[in-house]
Amino acid sequence: MTETVLVTGGAGYIGSHTALALLEAGHRVVVIDNLINSRPGALAEVEDLTGHPIVFVEGDATDEKLVEHTIRENAVTAVIHMAALKAVGESVEKPLDYYGNNLESAIATLAAMRTCDVWKFVFSSSATVYGDPESNPIPETAAIGAASPYGRTKEMIEMIIEDVAASDDRWQITSLRYFNPIGAHESGRIAESPIGKPNNLMPMVMDVAAGRREKVLVYGNDWPTIDGTGVRDYIHVMDLVEGHVAALEQMTDGSGYQVFNLGQGRGTSVLELIAAVEEATGFAINYEIVGRRAGDIAECVADPRLANEQLGWKTRRTTADACRDSWNSQ
Ligand code: NAD
Ligand code: WQD
């Protein structure tokens, strides 16, 4: 079935790639974004790459009336809710901004959907809800316990949407817990380009590879991991967004509330990722080992089998592919 999908936060890194994957799968795309952490240029690139138009509304997903109007005007049939503030460190300094923006945008979007009789909702959750996991790889049934205000907004929204789904059996709601998205569309024309200093490892490594920054600070080499540096499950952003298309397309009447991990199921250390970027770019990456970053954990790797089995979805791209595509997008 062809859907008209409202992507809140759709001008951002994952949102613009999601728009591309949806259009390529034959769906229509409407975006609401307030551009607090993005520029509209990425969506123009997506239109150009796919040859399909995107309806772009510059505005705030906390504005229930605006979301309602956008849904009605465009006959939206499903929503992927990505609008959020996402910097862990900033969320510790400004918790009210994070709880305000992330919770209110989710609630306003759900309320507008109910008013407009639209019931398919996909939520951008995060592996951060697992906090410091007891063991790896992590299944969806593992204990939840986010360690930052940002992570707790994801945990709280998951609780809210589970209650919402239980309140009316017309809802079809899926939370997708992303592990660490990296990479870019293979054209290189849409990129991860955060506004301000990058927080995440890959944009930082790209800055060094491109000569915009002198070195990568590696946060600790005394973790209980293969080489002492932090291990994460890096997932190519195109694999990640294809998981959204699969999640949307498998929703059926009565599918209720579902939760899936989206990851490769394979861990990579900071030093291994740096080596993979060196291999992909041909440049040596200068780095320095410094102390651990507050709030970091040793390891976070997905058990993606539930999504593999129930969504018929699997990652198809490697970490090396992601390094090459990130570099292409520079
Ligand atoms: P991003 O910052 O590039 O995209 C988020 C977009 O939401 C931005 O374009 C921003 O301008 C917009 N936005 C924020 N608040 C808004 C509001 N109230 N109304 C309208 N637009 C608003 O981040 P991303 O990496 O593309 O993340 C997308 C989603 O995935 C977020 O919900 C994020 O929490 C989640 N997520 C990201 C990661 C990651 O590592 N990138 C991991 C797990 C989950
Ligand atoms: C990865 C590894 C760092 C930067 C965060 C959020 C999580 C999710 C994804 C949204 C760690 C190390 C990093 C640097 C480094 N986002 N590192 N030097 O911390 O796994 O997850 O982004 O939901 O919620 O917490 O990702 O890319 O910041 O770090 O050594 O300059 O790289 O210590 O081991 P993280 P990251």
Side-chain angles (χ1 to χ4, degrees):
M1 174 183 163
T2 301
E3 306 280 0
T4 301
V5 187
L6 169 62
V7 186
T8 69
Y13 167 47
I14 300 169
S16 53
H17 287 85
T18 302
L20 191 150
L22 287 166
L23 292 171
E24 281 183 341
H27 302 293
R28 288 179 286 268
V29 175
V30 179
V31 167
I32 293 182
D33 200 301
N34 63 6
L35 304 180
I36 195 169
N37 196 37
S38 54
R39 305 166 191 87
L43 294 176
E45 291 290 348
V46 172
E47 289 182 315
D48 203 45
L49 280 164
T50 60
H52 296 294
I54 294 172
V55 176
F56 175 63
V57 178
E58 183 174 343
D60 210 294
T62 60
D63 181 345
E64 185 181 329
K65 289 290 162 216
L66 174 76
V67 180
E68 210 180 294
H69 178 76
T70 305
I71 291 175
R72 279 197 213 290
E73 277 287 284
N74 298 286
V76 165
T77 58
V79 176
I80 301 181
H81 181 61
M82 297 197 163
L85 298 173
K86 63 158 187 177
V88 174
E90 186 184 62
S91 80
V92 176
E93 287 154 28
K94 301 177 180 170
L96 291 175
D97 289 4
Y98 275 67
Y99 288 115
N101 188 64
N102 295 3
L103 270 69
E104 283 169 24
S105 61
I107 293 169
T109 302
L110 287 160
M113 288 174 67
R114 185 190 50 194
T115 306
C116 299
D117 199 20
V118 172
W119 306 97
K120 290 184 180 179
F121 185 81
V122 176
F123 173 58
S124 295
S125 189
S126 169
T128 200
V129 299
Y130 296 117
D132 192 356
E134 258 170 36
S135 60
N136 282 281
I138 313 169
E140 289 80 355
T141 49
I144 296 301
S148 70
Y150 164 73
R152 281 191 280 275
T153 69
K154 296 295 179 190
E155 193 179 318
M156 287 177 189
I157 295 166
E158 282 200 7
M159 289 176 181
I160 291 169
I161 59 186
E162 188 171 1
D163 288 343
V164 168
S167 71
D168 188 321
D169 59 17
R170 284 173 292 182
W171 284 108
Q172 297 166 43
I173 302 189
T174 299
S175 284
L176 298 177
R177 294 179 180 156
Y178 313 165
F179 281 67
N180 288 56
I182 59 170
H185 183 251
E186 62 238 5
S187 67
R189 287 173 58 185
I190 42 176
E192 178 172 23
S193 47
I195 290 176
K197 186 175 179 252
N199 299 294
N200 293 115
L201 179 61
M202 186 58 123
M204 189 58 89
V205 175
M206 284 295 133
D207 269 6
V208 175
R212 290 188 294 265
R213 218 173 274 279
E214 192 205 333
K215 61 188 170 195
V216 180
L217 300 180
V218 175
Y219 298 136
N221 65 352
D222 56 352
W223 294 99
T225 60
I226 165 179
D227 59 16
T229 64
V231 166
R232 297 292 183 271
D233 185 332
Y234 296 97
I235 173 170
H236 194 298
V237 69
M238 290 308 300
D239 281 330
L240 180 81
V241 301
E242 286 169 10
H244 291 65
V245 177
L248 200 63
E249 290 179 347
Q250 66 87 47
M251 285 177 166
T252 51
D253 285 348
S255 57
Y257 181 56
Q258 309 180 86
V259 182
F260 297 105
N261 285 337
L262 295 183
Q264 275 195 61
R266 187 174 166 278
T268 303
S269 74
V270 175
L271 294 182
E272 286 171 337
L273 191 77
I274 288 175
V277 171
E278 287 182 327
E279 176 77 25
T281 62
F283 291 112
I285 305 293
N286 196 11
Y287 69 85
E288 182 187 339
I289 308 283
V290 297
R292 292 182 177 188
R293 180 173 67 177
D296 262 350
I297 56 174
E299 186 168 343
C300 182
V301 176
D303 177 344
R305 284 177 300 175
L306 194 67
N308 297 164
E309 286 157 17
Q310 297 199 10
L311 300 180
W313 164 91
K314 255 172 109 58
T315 57
R316 297 190 289 135
R317 300 159 180 93
T318 63
T319 305
D321 295 334
C323 294
R324 180 202 60 212
D325 293 337
S326 281
W327 181 238
N328 261 341
S329 73
Q330 294 298 303

